[in-house]
Amino acid sequence: MTIKQPVRVAVTGAAGQIGYSLLFRIASGDMLGKDQPVILQLLEITPALKALNGVVMELRDCAFPLLQDVITTDDPEVAFKDADYALLVGAMPRKAGMERGDLLGANGGIFKPQGEAINKVAKRDIKVVVVGNPANTNALIAQQNAPDIDPRQFTALVRLDHNRAISQLAEKTGGAVKDIKNVTIWGNHSSTQYPDLSQATVGGKPALEQVDRTWYETEYIPTVAKRGAAIIEARGASSAASAAGAAIDHMRDWALGTREGEWTSMAIPSDGSYGIPEGLIYGFPVRIKDGKYEIVQGLEVSDFSRGKMDATARELEEERDEVRKLGLVK
Ligand SMILES: NC(=O)C1=CN([C@@H]2O[C@H](COP(=O)(O)OP(=O)(O)OC[C@H]3O[C@@H](n4cnc5c(N)ncnc54)[C@H](O)[C@@H]3O)[C@@H](O)[C@H]2O)C=CC1
Ligand SMILES: O=C(O)CCC(=O)C(=O)O
């Protein structure tokens, strides 16, 4: 195997719970491949740098052959310097009883300066995924504050919802996860998201022919959409290993491509496809080749789907209007 030149991967909130799972998987080659050395550039707030240094000690103790260097800093311009990839995880997590939108004001202030720093110092073709909630609108804030970077390089994570949608369907039908294809998460990473099975297949056969419609509408959709809250309730803390796994999946597919004939879900800037207002960072079905994603076009949209797709778009418009009032986006 020919080993490539190293790439720079910036991770924010690196000393947090997601970081504790994410960094080790990036360093082991799960994200960018076993032939891709990485330099990790880790951003934390000043009081968390000591804990971050402990994580770095553990990273070094793993002796990962692909881990070329680790930089730790509390300065976004150091963390994003020449970065090829950025995973924006650092944010304030939701507590029991809160909606993710309740975090807009608190977290918005983090993503404006980070967008500005990316604009100033990162590689022009940097691939950014926002994990920190409310992820879609935080991605919009970072994007709008990085006017010299192609807006399509800013994305948000709905892959955890996508993976949850697959696993819930596998459990119900008895099908294997690997035999489930073409599930879509439309819209916001919030309880208004629409986990859509209308194009999904299990073992090559339409998913909706294998489950009861009432179960789909009244149990499946809310279970997937509210899984984050169920985990907070059960664990007393928000999902971490599964969120890190989904961020790895998102970046791996973006860098290395989706499989032939299949798609995944990514929250990306809407180009107006499927009647979704342009510019919103909205979950769409995407195929990826050579590091470029494209929205899967031409899917049939039923009245049921239309209602759900529009409702989650409306929530994103409301979030955008709120951060606009705070002066965080144009
Ligand atoms: N999109 C998704 O599917 C998911 C998103 N999340 C979100 O991910 C975020 C992180 O979750 P956890 O790791 O569990 O939280 P955590 O609280 O364990 O870690 C967050 C870390 O971010 C750091 N941080 C805060 N402000 C920062 C800044 N300005 N720059 C750099 N670092 C900063 C904190 O010091 C902390 O170490 C939360 O917003 C959470 O809601 C969590 C699960 C799934
Ligand atoms: O639900 C939250 O606020 C944090 C975790 C999360 O986004 C999720 O598990 O989907």
Side-chain angles (χ1 to χ4, degrees), residues 100 164 167-168 171 222-232:
R100 295 182 187 113
R164 288 166 172 165
S167 95
Q168 291 293 323
E171 209 173 303
T223 298
V224 173
K226 295 184 180 158
R227 185 71 160 183
I231 288 166
I232 294 174

Side-chain angles (χ1 to χ4, degrees), residues 111-135:
F111 291 87
K112 183 175 194 297
Q114 291 186 359
E116 289 166 348
I118 289 171
N119 196 51
K120 195 163 168 199
V121 300
K123 289 258 175 68
R124 299 299 86 179
D125 61 350
I126 185 172
K127 289 180 165 63
V128 181
V129 62
V130 175
V131 177
N133 280 314

Side-chain angles (χ1 to χ4, degrees), residues 283-300:
F284 280 102
V286 296
R287 290 201 184 94
I288 305 161
K289 204 169 173 217
D290 300 327
K292 303 250 181 286
Y293 60 78
E294 293 294 341
I295 296 174
V296 178
Q297 298 292 348
L299 303 177
E300 203 186 317

